[in-house]
Amino acid sequence: MKALIALAAATLLAGCAAAPEVLAPLPATPLPAQFRVGPDFETAPAATESTAWWHEFNEPILSALVAEALERNADIEAAFARVQESRALLDVGRSTGYPRVDLAAGASRGRASLEDPARDPMAPRTSSRWSADATVSWEADLFGRREAENRAVARRTEAREARAHAVRLTIAADVVSRALEVAALDERLRLAADAIAVEQDLLSLAEAKASGGQASQQDVLRARAQVSRSHSAMAQLRLDRADTLAALAVLLAATPDEADARVNGLKLPTATSRALPLIAPSEVLLERPDVRAATADLRAASADLAATAAQRYPRLDIAATLGWVAATASGLGGADALAVALVPGLQWRALDFGELDARVAGRKAAERSAAAEYKAAVTRAFSEAQTALLQLQQQRELVAATQEALMAQQAVCEVQRARYTGGLSDLALTLESCRELNVAASALVQARRDALAGRVLVHKALGSGTPLRKGNDS
């Protein structure tokens, strides 16, 4: 009875020691009250739940590509497998907080040597031994060492989960960017084909004029050279498309031919349907996956320090054994076969010549390092987000300017073709105006693609689509 009272008292003390984690304030990272954007920038509050930001492009093919990549990409699979590994290790650590029960049973039969000087002459030479026992062992976590170790594992699990979401966000952004590039290249290839058709018409016209003595053979050669240059540029566009398609195939865990079939019919979006979530940087950026991982790493370092410091205090281990030992199997059930033992043990590091102090000093340095990495992550997050927003504003302005340039060049080209057809201008100026028109049209497509990719970059920099944390961690 006294043994049971002692065991219950130790259990109560250990339960009181497992207090909730007290979170120290995170290092100060001053951030501006708001992002710096242009006056015409549309903004909206951050979503209260995970959102598939790529749906804002209103392209079902694009959304299907992202969904496929998120399901099949090997990097995402590996990242979340590491999260499952960490959760399993966390369960292992938590299980040590409960008593451990070991059951054992055994039987032996032996024959003693007659020449053994230690043998009792009155004892039978042949004997049997039957045993069965149950042992309960448990460490009373009086000073929170094991609890701190479990907190460290839990925080590192959070860090791995945040990094897994960062991988997921990166893959989604890369898929959207690659797919947009393929769509832009397809549009530029169509423009190049249209330009070649116009140049072929000019070549035919030059040949007809040359045969009638209204143009020189040099005009014909010049027109043929322009057609050849356009075919060469078109071949380069096809090579660029193949390279982009190969990169997209890797993200989709598919072959290039399969990826080509997936993007068939994808058009370059003309606009998006959502405003960007630009609340205070201190609110939106702290939810970015890399910042969340840095926060969890810092919390883990603090828990490591607490666990190491707790080793300064005594450690109490308690073991209780209930067993039966008899000479025969039937004798195991008798009261005389019962054996009970309670073995409390106390360990206390009295002298280690500074080893523990050195370990604590090392943990403190690791905590300072984690704090510095957290501040660097926050600073980097703001810099990337602000830069992406400013670049997106400039890319929008570039689209508008390129659109105006294209319209002006279209007018010039139409006038120049009419003048050449009527014999009022030479072929060189006409070819040059048509070439500049193709360049302007291709530049507009690329500017639109860059603006869309810039929006993707903003979402990535803001950590859009990352599951929000439950509760506050400050």
Side-chain angles (χ1 to χ4, degrees), residues 80-143:
F80 280 97
R82 288 191 289 270
V83 173
Q84 293 177 346
E85 178 190 11
S86 290
R87 288 174 178 168
L89 293 175
L90 180 58
D91 290 339
V92 170
R94 286 171 175 168
S95 68
T96 62
Y98 300 95
R100 173 178 170 176
V101 179
D102 294 300
L103 302 177
S108 65
R109 182 172 179 81
R111 185 183 185 197
S113 171
L114 294 175
E115 300 297 329
D116 185 358
R119 176 179 175 271
D120 184 359
M122 301 303 293
R125 186 178 182 187
T126 302
S127 62
S128 299
R129 186 179 188 276
W130 295 78
S131 65
D133 59 70
T135 301
V136 180
S137 57
W138 178 64
E139 177 192 348
D141 193 23
L142 298 178
F143 300 99

Side-chain angles (χ1 to χ4, degrees), residues 21 23-24 26-27 83 86 148-165 285-305 366-367 369-371 373-375 377-378 469 473-474:
E21 180 182 8
L23 299 176
L26 292 170
V83 173
S86 290
E149 291 174 348
N150 288 340
R151 286 203 304 268
V153 177
R155 291 300 183 166
R156 289 194 170 88
T157 301
E158 291 178 12
R160 278 194 171 185
E161 186 173 3
R163 291 189 173 95
H165 285 295
L285 294 180
L286 294 185
E287 294 299 329
R288 231 175 73 143
D290 57 336
V291 176
R292 288 171 59 171
T295 302
D297 285 338
L298 176 55
R299 298 304 189 194
S302 298
D304 286 336
L305 174 58
E367 186 183 42
S369 174
E373 290 174 359
Y374 166 79
K375 291 189 288 186
V378 174
R469 280 179 289 195
D473 184 1
S474 58

Side-chain angles (χ1 to χ4, degrees), residues 147-208:
E147 179 65 22
E149 291 174 348
N150 288 340
R151 286 203 304 268
V153 177
R155 291 300 183 166
R156 289 194 170 88
T157 301
E158 291 178 12
R160 278 194 171 185
E161 186 173 3
R163 291 189 173 95
H165 285 295
V167 172
R168 186 178 184 274
L169 176 58
T170 297
I171 295 300
D174 287 349
V175 168
V176 174
S177 295
R178 298 290 185 183
L180 291 175
E181 180 65 20
V182 172
L185 287 168
D186 285 340
E187 193 163 336
R188 291 174 65 188
L189 282 167
R190 287 192 292 271
L191 290 173
D194 292 342
I196 289 175
V198 172
E199 291 165 358
Q200 288 282 10
D201 289 342
L202 289 173
L203 173 59
S204 299
L205 182 58
E207 290 174 339

